Amino acid sequence: ESTKPKESTPVKQAEPSPPPEADKPTVPTRFRKAYLLPAEGMVGRSRERERLTTWYQSGQSGVMVLHARGGFGKSALAWLWTHHDLMGMTLPGQVPDKGAASQLGDDHRPKGVFWWSFEESHAPFSAMLDELVDFLASGREVSALSGSRAAKVDFVVDELAQRSILVVLDGFENALDAYNYTSAHYHADKLSGASDIDQRRCADPWLSEFLIRMAGVREGGRVLVLTRHIPAEVETLAVDAGVPFELAELAGLDPNECVSWMNSEGLKGDRTRQLVLARICNYRPLALRVSMGMANADAHAKGDVNVVIDNGQIAKNQNPHQVVRAAVGALAKPQRELISRMAALRGTIERAT
């Protein structure tokens, strides 16, 4: 008998699994000029998401106005809530929280989602109305497609009253009178002058008509307005005419949420110092994100919260705006010059430019 060893059969190496793809919407969607940042670092906001879901399911008004100053995370909250809680998707980079009270079951999901941002140039209500009519028509031949603005508003309101479709209007302050001119982007969070109420009226009367009529829709579609300033129509009509707008102000993050976020980003420092940084940032998500980036970019003490807290500029004047100034000042000169030039741009440009 031969003692020649048997040749071993080569073991076939298992092919690596392809990276998981992002969930795809299971309902018709259309996102125009929308918020597109990933969900990394999105923490907390469970109470706010539950309130949005309660309004969506059983609110007495077809319109909710979610207002807050810039940098408080209105768009991020609505983006996560829309995709995760309403449509049942898991966004790339998001920590799953299945079973949260804000999540809808499969039988209660919207029949469609339309998202429009007024923040970009060339995004007036007239363009949004045309897009929304086309979305709701779903390929059908409807007279509203070529009709007057009045006919289009009639068609949209009638369709939304019969169909559970969510419409999100982001950057709504840009559709107000105060922002209806070239230097509008220089506005601060607070409008000045005695005519504040007039500055907060919708620049397009048909947009005002759309909001008023949708506010009276008890079942069917919903309109979520994200804005820095409460539209005057919401305040005056809610009081004078009893139009049932739903109003909610988005505050800063809970202190515990701030600490959880810092820990998830790998920031070093005890809880007391983390809470000091959160207070300096006024619990504002944007300022906190910038401060964490500043700490993580430090070459000598990477990720140390004290890099931000002990910064001379910030220690002297503790507020969120100073955090942003200090973060820009900590950049290398070419980066500072690039940001300075980008800050001067007030409209959309091509990347090649």
Side-chain angles (χ1 to χ4, degrees):
E1 185 176 351
S2 173
T3 58
K4 183 178 180 180
K6 295 181 180 180
E7 293 183 5
S8 60
T9 304
V11 179
K12 186 177 181 181
Q13 297 293 325
E15 295 183 2
S17 301
E21 294 184 0
D23 287 354
K24 295 181 180 179
T26 57
V27 299
T29 59
R30 184 172 298 186
F31 299 99
R32 290 292 183 264
K33 307 178 184 298
Y35 179 91
L36 294 174
L37 290 180
E40 283 97 340
M42 186 70 189
V43 297
R45 296 298 196 190
S46 57
R47 293 189 302 274
E48 292 84 351
R49 288 161 58 192
E50 287 176 22
R51 179 171 181 182
L52 286 169
T53 298
T54 299
W55 160 74
Y56 177 80
Q57 290 186 297
S58 58
Q60 295 301 300
S61 175
V63 177
M64 173 179 273
V65 177
L66 182 64
H67 66 100
R69 288 175 291 169
F72 272 82
K74 300 180 294 294
S75 300
L77 168 62
W79 189 257
L80 178 64
W81 173 72
T82 299
H83 286 77
H84 186 57
D85 296 328
L86 263 60
M87 293 197 289
M89 299 169 58
T90 297
L91 297 174
Q94 177 199 348
V95 177
D97 57 351
K98 294 184 188 252
S102 55
Q103 294 178 20
L104 293 180
D106 292 340
D107 296 337
H108 301 284
R109 302 203 187 285
K111 302 302 181 186
V113 174
F114 179 91
W115 183 298
W116 183 270
S117 174
F118 290 101
E119 297 227 5
E120 303 294 336
S121 57
H122 311 298
F125 175 67
S126 57
M128 172 244 153
L129 186 59
D130 288 341
E131 286 264 6
L132 184 52
V133 169
D134 181 68
F135 177 70
L136 294 173
S138 303
R140 293 174 291 158
E141 290 291 336
V142 295
S143 58
L145 288 169
S146 57
S148 64
R149 302 263 295 278
K152 291 176 181 178
V153 170
D154 287 342
F155 171 77
V156 167
V157 173
D158 289 344
E159 287 287 314
L160 291 178
Q162 302 173 54
R163 300 162 62 184
S164 57
I165 289 177
L166 174 68
V167 176
V168 181
L169 303 180
D170 194 12
F172 193 86
E173 67 274 2
N174 294 281
L176 303 179
D177 271 334
Y179 288 75
N180 198 27
Y181 51 88
T182 306
S183 60
H185 288 280
Y186 290 98
H187 271 310
D189 283 323
K190 292 185 179 180
L191 300 176
S192 59
S195 59
D196 170 79
I197 190 79
D198 293 326
Q199 294 183 66
R200 290 188 286 110
R201 297 190 187 282
C202 293
D204 190 319
W206 286 110
L207 175 54
S208 177
E209 174 77 6
F210 170 66
L211 285 183
I212 293 168
R213 291 175 61 181
M214 279 304 303
V217 173
R218 300 293 180 90
E219 297 180 359
R222 290 283 188 259
V223 177
L224 176 60
V225 174
L226 310 176
T227 181
R228 294 188 182 195
H229 306 292
I230 303 172
E233 289 84 351
V234 173
E235 287 186 354
T236 57
L237 290 173
V239 174
D240 299 339
V243 177
F245 288 102
E246 184 139 358
L247 194 61
E249 182 176 8
L250 184 63
L253 290 170
D254 179 87
N256 291 326
E257 294 174 342
C258 293
V259 171
S260 296
W261 192 7
M262 291 183 216
N263 289 334
S264 71
E265 293 292 327
L267 257 68
K268 305 167 189 172
D270 60 39
R271 178 181 173 82
T272 301
R273 297 296 279 174
Q274 289 177 325
L275 289 172
V276 169
L277 178 57
R279 180 181 55 77
I280 291 174
C281 294
N282 197 26
Y283 309 104
R284 189 183 296 199
L286 180 60
L288 194 56
R289 181 183 287 277
V290 169
S291 68
M292 290 190 293
M294 180 179 175
N296 281 325
D298 188 84
H300 303 290
K302 180 178 175 62
D304 190 340
V305 294
N306 295 305
V307 168
V308 183
I309 297 173
D310 296 335
N311 178 278
Q313 289 178 285
I314 296 173
K316 182 179 180 181
N317 186 12
Q318 296 187 358
N319 63 64
H321 300 292
Q322 197 62 45
V323 170
V324 175
R325 292 191 188 98
V328 172
L331 295 172
K333 184 177 179 181
Q335 294 173 313
R336 291 200 306 272
E337 291 178 348
L338 175 61
I339 287 180
S340 177
R341 292 179 182 179
M342 290 175 64
L345 301 173
R346 296 297 166 183
T348 305
I349 63 168
E350 296 295 329
R351 181 174 181 178
T353 305

